[in-house]
Amino acid sequence: GAVVSQHPSRVICKSGTSVKIECRSLDFQATTMFWYRQFPKQSLMLMATSNEGSKATYEQGVEKDKFLINHASLTLSTLTVTSAHPEDSSFYICSARVEQGAGELFFGEGSRLTVL
Amino acid sequence: DAKTTQPTSMDCAEGRAANLPCNHSTISGNEYVYWYRQIHSQGPQYIIHGLKNNETNEMASLIITEDRKSSTLILPHATLRDTAVYYCIVRSRMDSSYKLIFGSGTRLLVRP
């Protein structure tokens, strides 16, 4: 299947700092990428849809000024958690859509953010 | 998108078939059934998808009932590495957003 890579896989930061997470499609181009977050023992919650060359579309209840998304190229989307607080600690996962076929999504390995 | 109902947890013995059911009684004619799984602390992994015909690939088989109101994912010879949370998701082929909404999934434990 298609490969999606996230970096960093783990990050620890102090409260009040900003953290950037990268999502790359390694062997295909993706005009659409998605960002999810997952708390322990819960399912994935969709945060936003990242569209190459345009503004991201956020799900209801997700603060767009808190979670900045940039999709500057067909292979890279970034999520920046601004002024992070302990409650932002979570597992952040991106996915990218394969343009052909039924448009199935492939997911990155996830990035675990811990805010102290 | 139609909602799905899955058992919270299941277990099976290593080497035996694992049959994971999913109910999607409100599915409409243009909606696909997708299966993903998530091994602990990893991103979800695509398994298989189907519309109305049964599907098989190197990972699993997907059996969709004739009325399309339910489906079963079959792992023919489960291994310990198949222990994961399995998600059944329904999404419209006409949905230009392509986003997947995850439910609670089934936690499958494969016993030695």
Side-chain angles (χ1 to χ4, degrees):
Chain A
V3 179
V4 177
S5 179
Q6 280 183 244
H7 178 80
S9 57
R10 292 178 182 271
V11 57
I12 301 172
C13 71
K14 292 182 179 180
S15 186
T17 61
S18 294
V19 175
K20 179 185 286 187
I21 301 170
E22 294 185 346
C23 177
R24 295 182 184 273
S25 55
L26 296 187
D27 52 359
F28 67 101
Q29 294 183 330
T31 55
T32 306
M33 293 184 175
F34 302 88
W35 287 96
Y36 293 80
R37 67 188 297 183
Q38 184 177 33
F39 292 109
K41 299 188 177 182
Q42 294 187 21
S43 186
L44 286 80
M45 185 196 79
L46 179 66
M47 298 175 68
T49 302
S50 171
N51 301 297
E52 187 269 336
S54 63
K55 291 183 179 180
T57 303
Y58 291 81
E59 296 297 305
Q60 190 172 10
V62 178
E63 301 175 58
K64 58 183 178 182
D65 295 331
K66 173 76 172 175
F67 300 100
L68 301 179
I69 292 173
N70 183 279
H71 193 154
S73 78
L74 288 173
T75 59
L76 173 65
S77 175
T78 60
L79 168 69
T80 301
V81 183
T82 62
S83 187
H85 291 284
E87 57 266 30
D88 298 322
S89 298
S90 188
F91 193 49
Y92 292 88
I93 307 166
C94 74
S95 68
R97 184 177 77 86
V98 176
E99 303 288 333
Q100 288 75 34
E104 56 262 37
L105 302 187
F106 291 90
F107 287 78
E109 314 95 321
S111 299
R112 186 164 301 283
L113 169 64
T114 302
V115 184
L116 303 177
Chain B
D1 288 353
K3 292 185 177 178
T4 62
T5 304
Q6 299 177 252
T8 303
S9 63
M10 296 181 64
D11 68 86
C12 75
E14 186 179 19
R16 305 296 294 269
N19 299 290
L20 292 91
C22 180
N23 184 289
H24 32 79
S25 59
T26 59
I27 193 171
S28 62
N30 61 7
E31 290 179 318
Y32 283 97
V33 179
Y34 288 80
W35 282 84
Y36 284 78
R37 72 180 182 183
Q38 185 179 25
I39 296 170
H40 183 62
S41 294
Q42 296 182 25
Q45 177 188 21
Y46 167 80
I47 301 174
I48 200 167
H49 74 277
L51 185 62
K52 55 182 180 180
N53 297 322
N54 297 338
E55 302 287 345
T56 295
N57 62 21
E58 64 278 4
M59 289 184 68
S61 294
L62 174 60
I63 308 298
I64 303 175
T65 57
E66 193 169 339
D67 63 7
R68 301 185 70 241
K69 293 185 177 182
S70 65
S71 61
T72 301
L73 179 74
I74 301 173
L75 308 179
H77 306 286
T79 70
L80 299 180
R81 287 178 294 181
D82 291 323
T83 292
V85 179
Y86 287 76
Y87 295 98
C88 169
I89 303 168
V90 170
R91 189 188 76 191
S92 172
R93 64 193 296 188
M94 305 302 291
D95 183 358
S96 59
S97 73
Y98 295 100
K99 58 187 179 183
L100 291 177
I101 305 300
F102 286 76
S104 304
T106 296
R107 188 172 298 275
L108 174 69
L109 174 64
V110 180
R111 295 177 280 103

